[in-house]
Amino acid sequence: MASNRARAPDQASPVHRLAIKPLFDSLPPRDKLYAHYLSQAAWKGARIILRQTSLESEAIFNFIIEAYRACEGEWSQFEEVCAVTGDEVKAFLSYAGLFLYNLGNFYGEGGQKFVPDLRKESLEKIVGCVGMTGSAAENLVEGMTAVTPQNTGYPSDTAVSSYYLGDRITRTEIKEVQLYMQEEGVEPENTRVRKTIHKGNAVFDILQTSTQTGNSKLTTAAQLGGPRFRRMKGDHQDEISTISAHLQRASMYAQNQNQKAVLDCHMYSFNTGDLREYRRGQEIWVKDKSPSIEHILGFVETYRDPHGVRAEWEGVVCIADPEETKKMEVFVASAAKFCTLLPWATAENEGKGLFEKDVVVIPQFAIVHALTMCCPYVWEASNLPNYNDIRETHGSKNMIIANRMSVNCNSSGASLYLQPQDRELYRQNLHTIRFVATVIHELLGHGTGKLLSETAPGIFNFDATNPPIDPLTGQTVASCYHPNETYWSVFEDIANSVEECRAILMSAYLIDKIEILAIFGYDEISALTADDMVYLSYLHLGVEVLRSLEHYNPDDKKWTQAHSQGYFAIFKHLLIEGNGILTVHHDPNTSELHVTVDSTKILTDGKPALGRLMCALHIWRCTANVEACRPFYENLASVEGVYETWRSVVATKPEQRPKFVQGNTLLKKNGEVEYREYEESDEGIIRSWAERGPL
């Protein structure tokens, strides 16, 4: 059985420039300064991400930058000085480029570990040439070449998570820490946990990111066997202090008072570690409508915490594209009525039903170009903030990263799992398919739903004396969220995947609606017809599922990527309940693997099957019914039998993962800001990081 072993980076992996120079150059000087200081703050979080990825990542980062400086970017010097071959230097550069793109030695998307594709002896020579010797050199080489742990996940013999340090922690202990934090009113996003043994008892230090320092007393929990919990401020202190200093400078060039207020909230939260002020900043951020410079800064996404509650640093700065954004205003204006088309819609609440908010606050929508993305990978779109109470009362923002999405036009592996008759049409229109799907996914997928909650003791956001009827059981709903509970704290490790699965389903379920496709310009007479779009969208489901199987680890039977798990759950559901709408063709002799769609069954079988699954996930999410959701979803996402056979085929044909090289903003002596681009190569990626200054 093939497994997800640590693998060497593909030297042929394409490197793409996150192109934005003309747009940046067109900004007025004040906006350039605002974007520059925001970008400086974003990049200063790189070391936080490195520490959140693995214990060895920060040392590997330092080594790569020192290697660049040792040869001043003339990498061929290593051939003679270190007595290694040109191919070995290329292999090292490929590893270094991939490492810097992912900000760690585990893929940001998928969580698998990767190692250099060169002999250990050759790597040791390069390390020696940079001036490292002794135990430091030995530890560095071991950290770069060790094939275990193989992936990120709950700490085990094969998986690691740098959100959980010290002695190995169990899932039960993580839940105990979570309960303690809920009781104390401490949110987990900006924390890590370190377990130690003290006088025979486990002690859990909750490390809270802040510039302030200080420890609380050990909290005694007699029923758990003695002293257990201690809060410790000051995690990532140096980086957070520098980030705040850059935000202070950025505030001088903010475009309005809302932007200043957001940065003030960020700085206060970063200083104290108190996320309540960060939440307040998010409320204000949502009110800053259609800014020309947009940003996301803080501990945002919880994808890589196996427990799904602790978040990764994310520093993103974007420039708006108002002309492209304007084209989507019709969709945003019409989005609320589309809620009446969903499977849980009933006559109440103006046709939306009781599992939607009284007033559906459709996310603001913007097409932007990324100037800076200090993240473990360059993603295509985002819908924030992740705090559901803010989304329900203040709204949210959706951003499509146009200069990332455009790269889909050049995807070489896009049609690998299609038969010849479908391949070319799919390749030609992949960018369009993904764009339309992403808009629906973000605006309606993540923008719909009302979490039935007891917001304070005895106070509910629904009629608790006459609860809604659960469409899955025909009975009144029997559960809801209690005070201090969130969707993520209740659904834990499956929360992200269930939410992404629900959003993917939304775009697939609504893609046949003529009124939606017309907004994007597709009808029966367009070059790419509406029927073509529907057919290609179902093909896309199949393609994405087979591609996603690379993100399943058969050794511990875990998915390493939330979207991939969601895609697979949908696919398996369609194979079971779709009456042959999707078929996978596998030739064991040639290892060919293809997916086909029966277009005659899209509306009669495919759409109803998608609706049933979407309705179940939506209602369980709205009612905090994790007891029903977990066994169903985990079973649906399990990979066994023929699915494992397909996964084994996919594992033998790993796709080339793209890497992105980003530019730098530089403050010149005359006070002007310059944008510097780099070549589309591993050397360009390394140089870009070396020229970002001390991190």
Side-chain angles (χ1 to χ4, degrees):
M1 176 184 296
S3 65
N4 280 21
R5 300 292 181 188
R7 76 185 199 205
D10 185 348
Q11 292 187 42
S13 293
V15 179
H16 301 284
R17 181 181 292 126
L18 207 58
I20 197 173
K21 182 173 172 55
L23 192 57
F24 180 84
D25 289 345
S26 69
L27 293 175
R30 184 184 180 92
D31 285 1
K32 287 181 179 178
L33 285 163
Y34 183 53
H36 167 71
Y37 285 115
L38 287 176
S39 293
Q40 290 297 298
W43 289 126
K44 298 308 177 187
R47 287 191 181 272
I48 298 175
I49 298 175
L50 290 164
R51 288 186 206 123
Q52 291 176 319
T53 300
S54 71
L55 295 178
E56 64 272 12
S57 283
E58 199 168 3
I60 299 172
F61 176 88
N62 293 340
F63 162 63
I64 292 171
I65 300 303
E66 285 302 313
Y68 171 85
R69 291 174 179 155
C71 69
E72 297 181 334
E74 298 295 331
W75 296 101
S76 60
Q77 292 182 22
F78 280 127
E79 296 179 38
E80 182 176 350
V81 176
C82 305
V84 294
T85 68
D87 286 343
E88 287 174 325
V89 172
K90 287 181 181 179
F92 169 72
L93 293 174
S94 179
Y95 173 84
L98 189 63
F99 177 94
L100 293 174
Y101 169 59
N102 288 276
L103 279 174
N105 57 340
F106 291 77
Y107 285 107
E109 189 175 22
Q112 299 97 333
K113 189 175 188 179
F114 54 88
V115 297
D117 187 21
L118 71 164
R119 294 178 301 117
K120 194 173 184 178
E121 295 79 7
S122 299
L123 180 59
E124 289 170 343
K125 290 179 182 179
I126 296 175
V127 170
C129 286
V130 177
M132 297 188 68
T133 59
S135 60
E138 292 176 6
N139 292 338
L140 175 66
V141 172
E142 180 61 27
M144 293 175 72
T145 59
V147 295
T148 55
Q150 301 164 13
N151 55 272
T152 56
Y154 282 108
S156 68
D157 291 339
T158 59
V160 67
S161 173
S162 285
Y163 291 99
Y164 305 100
L165 307 171
D167 296 312
R168 185 177 295 178
I169 195 170
T170 66
R171 293 178 70 161
T172 299
E173 290 170 332
I174 294 173
K175 289 183 179 181
E176 290 174 358
V177 173
Q178 187 67 19
L179 284 173
Y180 164 76
M181 294 180 68
Q182 282 182 219
E183 291 170 0
E184 294 292 307
V186 179
E187 296 185 88
E189 285 90 339
N190 65 343
T191 67
R192 298 190 291 171
V193 178
R194 181 175 60 214
K195 176 185 175 182
T196 56
I197 303 299
H198 178 69
K199 295 182 180 179
N201 292 321
V203 174
F204 302 99
D205 291 327
I206 298 165
L207 310 180
Q208 193 170 37
T209 301
S210 65
T211 57
Q212 292 180 359
T213 58
N215 304 337
S216 68
K217 293 181 180 180
L218 278 173
T219 299
T220 301
Q223 72 275 19
L224 298 176
R228 296 293 292 255
F229 307 108
R230 176 171 53 195
R231 290 167 57 190
M232 304 180 71
K233 288 190 173 186
D235 202 17
H236 312 302
Q237 181 186 32
D238 291 344
E239 289 75 23
I240 289 296
S241 178
T242 306
I243 288 166
S244 293
H246 286 298
L247 293 184
Q248 186 68 53
R249 294 187 186 98
S251 182
M252 297 168 57
Y253 303 100
Q255 299 165 324
N256 54 57
Q257 288 303 312
N258 277 339
Q259 291 178 359
K260 287 179 179 289
V262 171
L263 297 184
D264 285 343
C265 290
H266 281 4
M267 288 184 281
Y268 182 89
S269 177
F270 293 161
N271 182 41
T272 63
D274 187 345
L275 286 178
R276 288 175 297 183
E277 193 67 9
Y278 185 81
R279 276 176 167 268
R280 195 173 81 84
Q282 294 293 280
E283 294 175 6
I284 302 169
W285 178 71
V286 171
K287 296 175 184 176
D288 183 27
K289 299 182 185 297
S290 305
S292 59
I293 307 296
E294 188 60 276
H295 72 272
I296 302 168
L297 292 165
F299 296 87
V300 180
E301 299 293 356
T302 61
Y303 292 125
R304 291 219 286 181
D305 171 18
H307 205 63
V309 296
R310 292 177 170 79
E312 206 155 36
W313 171 262
E314 193 167 289
V316 178
V317 183
C318 299
I319 303 174
D321 189 331
E323 292 304 315
E324 289 298 317
T325 298
K326 195 170 184 179
K327 296 177 183 178
M328 291 295 102
E329 288 180 356
V330 175
F331 184 92
V332 174
S334 306
K337 75 176 182 181
F338 297 143
C339 292
T340 64
L341 305 175
L342 301 175
W344 49 86
T346 53
E348 303 97 335
N349 193 16
E350 298 182 350
K352 300 187 295 291
L354 300 177
F355 296 97
E356 292 294 345
K357 297 176 281 291
D358 293 343
V359 177
V360 177
V361 183
I362 295 302
Q364 299 172 50
F365 182 88
I367 295 177
V368 299
H369 295 255
L371 173 68
T372 297
M373 294 193 76
C374 185
C375 307
Y377 68 98
V378 176
W379 35 263
E380 297 179 343
S382 181
N383 184 281
L384 294 171
N386 282 331
Y387 301 108
N388 196 72
D389 56 329
I390 297 176
R391 297 166 71 91
E392 290 194 357
T393 56
H394 298 277
S396 60
K397 289 185 178 183
N398 181 80
M399 287 177 278
I400 303 289
I401 309 294
N403 53 343
R404 168 61 183 90
M405 289 285 286
S406 62
V407 174
N408 293 327
C409 298
N410 304 316
S411 177
S412 59
S415 59
L416 180 64
Y417 300 108
L418 294 178
Q419 293 188 330
Q421 61 267 30
D422 292 322
R423 198 166 291 163
E424 193 55 32
L425 184 65
Y426 182 79
R427 283 173 62 93
Q428 290 176 356
N429 296 285
L430 177 60
H431 173 66
T432 298
I433 301 163
R434 291 187 69 90
F435 178 78
V436 174
T438 300
V439 171
I440 301 173
H441 175 117
E442 300 293 347
L443 284 177
L444 292 176
H446 292 312
T448 55
K450 176 180 181 179
L451 301 190
L452 305 187
S453 305
E454 184 182 9
T455 55
I459 300 175
F460 299 83
N461 67 352
F462 65 100
D463 186 354
T465 62
N466 184 29
I469 299 297
D470 183 335
L472 306 177
T473 64
Q475 307 295 318
T476 56
V477 298
S479 58
C480 70
Y481 293 88
H482 301 300
N484 294 327
E485 286 185 341
T486 67
Y487 167 67
W488 283 272
S489 70
V490 171
F491 282 74
E492 297 177 340
D493 55 313
I494 65 170
N496 281 315
S497 183
V498 168
E499 172 61 3
E500 294 303 337
C501 183
R502 192 180 71 93
I504 296 166
L505 281 161
M506 186 73 72
S507 58
Y509 182 80
L510 291 176
I511 194 63
D512 66 284
K513 289 299 176 182
I514 295 174
E515 56 267 49
I516 292 179
L517 288 173
I519 291 173
F520 294 93
Y522 304 108
D523 53 30
E524 67 278 2
I525 62 173
S526 55
L528 180 71
T529 68
D531 286 344
D532 287 337
M533 272 295 296
V534 175
Y535 176 72
L536 289 173
S537 296
Y538 275 78
L539 268 185
H540 184 62
L541 272 180
V543 169
E544 286 298 291
V545 168
L546 293 178
R547 296 172 73 190
S548 74
L549 283 167
E550 188 180 345
H551 295 152
Y552 178 80
N553 189 336
D555 293 332
D556 58 11
K557 300 187 182 302
K558 296 293 182 183
W559 285 92
T560 58
Q561 215 280 340
H563 296 78
S564 296
Q565 184 178 9
Y567 269 115
F568 181 78
I570 296 168
F571 186 70
K572 190 173 176 181
H573 178 75
L574 283 178
L575 289 177
I576 295 170
E577 295 199 12
N579 191 30
I581 182 175
L582 291 182
T583 304
V584 175
H585 308 268
H586 174 222
D587 186 336
N589 296 319
T590 62
S591 293
E592 291 296 314
L593 198 61
H594 297 128
V595 62
T596 57
V597 171
D598 185 341
S599 60
T600 67
K601 296 182 178 180
I602 289 176
L603 297 182
T604 58
D605 299 279
K607 185 181 177 74
L610 293 174
R612 290 191 294 273
L613 177 58
M614 184 168 67
C615 187
L617 297 183
H618 184 83
I619 298 302
W620 290 332
R621 177 180 180 273
C622 288
T623 59
N625 193 353
V626 68
E627 289 78 13
C629 184
R630 180 178 291 279
F632 174 88
Y633 191 72
E634 289 182 342
N635 179 65
L636 195 60
S638 65
V639 180
E640 74 292 309
V642 68
Y643 306 111
E644 167 56 15
T645 300
W646 299 343
R647 194 214 67 84
S648 298
V649 173
V650 172
T652 65
K653 302 178 179 181
E655 279 193 58
Q656 296 178 352
R657 300 191 186 214
K659 294 176 268 191
F660 287 85
V661 58
Q662 300 185 51
N664 285 319
T665 57
L666 305 169
L667 189 63
K668 299 192 292 187
K669 290 182 179 179
N670 63 2
E672 295 180 356
V673 180
E674 170 194 352
Y675 183 80
R676 182 176 297 173
E677 289 185 322
Y678 299 89
E679 68 176 40
E680 293 178 305
S681 65
D682 292 307
E683 293 91 330
I685 294 175
I686 299 167
R687 183 184 172 195
S688 71
W689 277 99
E691 294 187 355
R692 287 196 177 115
L695 295 176

